[in-house]
């Protein structure tokens, strides 16, 4: 049986959140002398002399409507990387606990675990980049507190089978984090729709990909109200800046434009998926449910440097176990993709 209080670090259970000036005064006033701000104004523009809403109430209310969850089920982070870090700090005792991830996968789970002195358990994805569920469950130890599942997975691009995630959610009594950074490009339902069913489920999403807001740093974690309230307790009080809160609220009103952009990216992805296998230097093109494609080429380092010479940067993943020979290529604009295809076609 999953019991959140059993896995939260004792110091986190005991501690109180920082009480900010904006928390302590709730009424309306005309003169604010409570937060040591600059009341003369801001050199960056009106309003920015004031601290932002630490609870991001307006933003969460709108996201809740759009995503069909309660505002209390949403945590907002300075990128989803901040949520990853806070999840470790919430449940993993440094030097004692461990996490399990499924390489080849997103590198920040490992970096963040190392930073927090959390032992790493790695179970390699299968040849089809799916989860070997039995092996994962055999590897779970009493100290294993989090299992990270990236779906669609970075860098392989594929969705992880629903049943595998369900099996792990049912059998594992720690947190199961499903990272859906690329879900908007996939033809799949988000795991946010299953939150009621699984009290140990945490779903990560981000505004950095489909929403095109990587520079603003806004990530989301969806989970039970109990989990979210702990994340809120341990986050830095003003982790989402005012500009990001405002711009994200504006962006959320542009749902049609988002749909159009996703459609265009998916269309471009499909064109690349069709064209790449015909090129002589390409050995294999993996199916993709994301906005990037994993491509196995005959000479990955040569191809990487050759593309660089042409002014095209891709990600060389060929040294990652499970991705031998592979480059990860983000889907660009129509023109960028044409130039990429042309360049790869001319590779000798
Ligand atoms: C799977 C995955 N999760 C999370 C992130 C980080 O997202 P953010 O920009 O919200 O920190 C990335 C970024 O590339 C990613 O690939």
């Amino acid at each position: 049986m999953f019991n959140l209080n059993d896995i939260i670090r004792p110091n986190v259970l005991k501690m109180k959140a920082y009480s900010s000036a904006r928390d302590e005064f709730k009424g309306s006033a005309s003169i604010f002398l409570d937060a040591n701000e600059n009341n003369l104004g801001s050199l960056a523009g009106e309003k920015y002399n004031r601290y932002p809403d630490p609870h991001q109430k307006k933003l969460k209310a709108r996201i809740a409507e759009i995503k069909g969850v309660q505002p209390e089920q949403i945590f907002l982070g300075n990128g989803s990387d901040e949520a990853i870090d806070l999840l470790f700090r919430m449940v993993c005792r440094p030097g004692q606990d461990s996490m399990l991830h499924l390489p080849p996968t997103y590198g920040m789970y490992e970096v963040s675990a190392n930073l927090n002195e959390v032992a790493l358990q790695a179970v390699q994805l299968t040849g089809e980049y799916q989860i070997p569920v039995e092996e994962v469950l055999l590897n779970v130890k009493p100290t294993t507190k989090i299992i990270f599942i990236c779906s669609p997975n970075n860098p392989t691009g594929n969705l992880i089978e629903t049943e595998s995630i369900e099996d792990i959610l049912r059998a594992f009594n720690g947190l199961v984090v499903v990272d859906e950074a690329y879900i908007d490009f996939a033809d799949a339902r988000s795991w946010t729709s299953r939150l009621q069913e699984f009290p140990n489920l945490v779903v990560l999403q981000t505004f950095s990909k489909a929403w095109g807001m990587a520079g603003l740093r806004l990530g989301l974690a969806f989970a039970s109200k109990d989990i979210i309230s702990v994340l809120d307790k341990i986050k830095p009080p003003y982790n989402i800046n005012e500009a990001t809160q405002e711009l994200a609220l504006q962006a959320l009103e542009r749902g049609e434009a988002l749909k159009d952009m996703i459609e265009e990216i998916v269309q471009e992805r499909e064109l690349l998926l069709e064209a790449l296998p015909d090129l002589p230097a390409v050995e294999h093109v993996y199916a993709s449910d994301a906005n990037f494609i994993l491509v196995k080429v005959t000479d990955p380092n040569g191809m990487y440097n050759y593309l660089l010479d042409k002014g095209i940067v891709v990600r060389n993943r060929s040294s990652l176990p499970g991705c031998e020979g592979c480059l990860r290529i983000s889907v660009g604009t129509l023109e960028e993709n044409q130039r990429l295809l042309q360049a790869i076609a001319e590779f000798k």
Side-chain angles (χ1 to χ4, degrees), residues 318-339:
S318 60
S319 62
L320 274 189
C323 292
E324 291 81 4
C326 289
L327 303 175
R328 192 197 69 192
I329 303 176
S330 304
V331 176
T333 63
L334 171 81
E335 199 209 326
E336 288 167 344
N337 300 336
Q338 291 307 323
R339 279 183 51 194

Side-chain angles (χ1 to χ4, degrees), residues 101-232:
H101 75 154
L102 298 143
T105 194
Y106 182 47
M108 274 307 286
Y109 313 137
E110 177 168 352
V111 171
S112 205
N114 287 337
L115 175 64
N116 287 293
E117 215 188 332
V118 173
L120 209 68
Q121 298 179 258
V123 173
Q124 198 75 9
L125 289 173
T126 65
E128 281 78 46
Y129 298 136
Q130 290 297 331
I131 303 182
V133 176
E134 267 181 41
E135 197 186 334
V136 166
L137 296 178
L138 280 173
N139 272 279
V140 165
K141 299 192 279 195
T143 52
T144 312
K145 295 293 175 69
I146 311 182
I147 296 178
F148 281 95
I149 298 170
C150 190
S151 180
N153 186 42
N154 175 9
T156 58
N158 60 294
L159 282 162
I160 301 295
E161 283 162 5
T162 304
E163 301 76 46
S164 307
I165 301 179
E166 282 172 345
D167 289 348
I168 291 173
L169 277 161
R170 292 205 176 98
F172 177 57
N173 287 330
L175 297 181
V176 178
V177 178
V178 181
D179 187 342
E180 293 186 336
Y182 300 98
I183 191 70
D184 295 310
F185 305 106
D187 189 9
R189 218 158 54 124
S190 166
W191 279 88
T192 52
S193 59
R194 313 279 305 266
L195 285 172
Q196 308 301 349
E197 231 174 300
F198 301 109
N200 55 342
L201 171 64
V202 178
V203 181
L204 299 181
Q205 292 184 6
T206 178
F207 278 76
S208 298
K209 309 296 174 186
W211 290 91
M213 289 163 55
L216 289 173
R217 313 303 302 128
L218 186 60
L220 312 96
F222 301 92
S224 71
K225 294 176 187 182
D226 291 342
I227 293 176
I228 296 302
S229 72
V230 183
L231 286 174
D232 276 335

Side-chain angles (χ1 to χ4, degrees), residues 84-98:
I84 293 168
D85 177 64
L86 287 174
L87 286 163
F88 280 122
R89 294 209 252 167
M90 173 168 119
V91 299
C92 295
R93 294 163 302 171
Q96 295 183 56
D97 290 329
S98 59

